[in-house]
Amino acid sequence: MTSGEQGPGGTGGFERVNPPDLSPPTGFSHAVRATPGTIVFLAGQTALDGTGRIVGDGVVEQFERALSNLLTAAGAAGAGPGDLAKLTVYAVDVADYRSNAAAIGQVWKRLVGGDYPAMAVIGATRLWDEAALVEIEGFAVVR
């Protein structure tokens, strides 16, 4: 996709910009341009359950819970999955995250759909919750 094109399902004021001179994005967009709206900043979410315990035995299960928690917080602020503009995933073990990328991608598609915000995965020595394998934070734009 070239700069200035709108991606599939790109209604609601997002333009996913993926210049042809950059490597083709897989599971992210190089840039996302949003029309005016309200920015919702989303705090880092881990795989905490309602009692404050980390749940999920592996990175895929924890990613699913962390993403679900992020979507719950976004929804409470009036933002849906299609409003996500930028996310950062912090992973304790990036090699493990990469080796499970296909399964993580399936979780993403089931919970969010086929469009991707601008994203980054960053390796972290440890997260606030010692049992957490991933944490997801970012922002959404509600129009």
Side-chain angles (χ1 to χ4, degrees):
M1 178 179 315
T2 62
S3 178
E5 290 182 356
Q6 193 158 351
T11 61
F14 277 133
E15 179 182 2
R16 300 182 197 296
V17 182
N18 295 300
D21 50 328
L22 295 179
S23 65
T26 302
F28 71 97
S29 291
H30 284 290
V32 176
R33 185 182 347 209
T35 58
T38 300
I39 298 174
V40 177
F41 294 92
L42 300 164
Q45 298 292 323
T46 59
L48 288 175
D49 67 9
T51 67
R53 289 182 30 250
I54 295 290
V55 295
D57 294 328
V59 68
V60 176
E61 295 85 6
Q62 286 200 18
F63 178 87
E64 181 169 357
R65 183 60 185 238
L67 182 58
S68 293
N69 289 347
L70 183 100
L71 293 171
T72 297
D83 297 320
L84 297 174
K86 169 72 173 95
L87 296 181
T88 303
V89 178
Y90 300 92
V92 172
D93 184 343
V94 175
D96 184 37
Y97 185 92
R98 286 186 64 156
S99 70
N100 285 285
I104 288 169
Q106 289 303 311
V107 169
W108 177 270
K109 287 177 183 168
R110 185 167 33 82
L111 296 179
V112 179
D115 284 334
Y116 295 97
M119 292 180 72
V121 176
I122 298 173
T125 304
R126 71 173 290 279
L127 301 170
W128 182 262
D129 297 299
E130 289 185 33
L133 302 175
V134 295
E135 184 167 339
I136 308 169
E137 62 89 28
F139 66 88
V141 178
V142 181
R143 289 144 325 263

